[in-house]
Amino acid sequence: MKNTNWYAVFTASRAEKRVKERLEQAGIENYLPVRAVEFVRDGQKRRLEIPVITGCIFVRVSEVNLPSVLSIWGVIALLQEKQVPVVISDEQLESFKILNERAETLEIVNEGLPVGSAIRVLQGELAGVRGELIEVAGGQRVVVRIPYLIECVARVKV
């Protein structure tokens, strides 16, 4: 899309899926990262898809169309730094998508992690991910950072 960027918007509590539906009805490209979780309730095993980042959905629009996103019922605010919308690069979001969809385990970290070597995964289930390689407790992990929002960590084999 021409002159569009990815932005993170915050939603009302537990409204992520409804906001996604409304954005789609309005023709706004969006991405709601979800993960399947299994739990036992009333003695039965159940599976549920929950948002990876609670209260957040990503939208791809031009800057002039941001007010139309903010007018969607359930959208609370836009991720900003110093009152300027934070642009999330295509590469960051694509790497985050790959981690979310392919990594067996995914850990969302809110505190800063040590900066390591820039890497690109060439093969395996995480092929295409660009991030930073860090060592944690002797294991290899790759980190994808979305500034001001999250850091995603997935374990990788070297």
Side-chain angles (χ1 to χ4, degrees), residues 39-109:
F39 62 96
V40 177
R41 179 181 265 173
D42 300 330
Q44 292 184 336
K45 197 180 235 186
R46 298 180 187 218
R47 186 179 166 113
L48 183 66
E49 283 192 339
I50 61 167
V52 172
I53 309 168
T54 306
C56 181
I57 189 168
F58 299 94
V59 296
R60 183 181 187 104
V61 294
S62 63
E63 192 170 351
V64 296
N65 288 332
L66 282 173
S68 65
V69 172
L70 293 170
S71 71
I72 301 286
W73 187 90
V75 172
I76 303 296
L78 189 63
L79 177 63
Q80 298 183 23
E81 183 201 18
K82 298 180 182 175
Q83 299 168 347
V84 175
V86 174
V87 173
I88 299 165
S89 74
D90 290 342
E91 186 177 275
Q92 284 173 311
L93 198 66
E94 189 57 35
S95 290
F96 176 57
K97 283 181 181 181
I98 291 169
L99 281 184
N100 186 48
E101 293 165 6
R102 299 184 193 166
E104 187 175 316
T105 61
L106 186 69
E107 178 183 351
I108 302 298
V109 181

Side-chain angles (χ1 to χ4, degrees), residues 1 4 6 23 27-31 58-61 97:
M1 285 187 178
T4 61
W6 284 104
L23 289 166
I28 298 170
E29 183 179 356
N30 64 81
Y31 174 62
F58 299 94
V59 296
R60 183 181 187 104
V61 294
K97 283 181 181 181

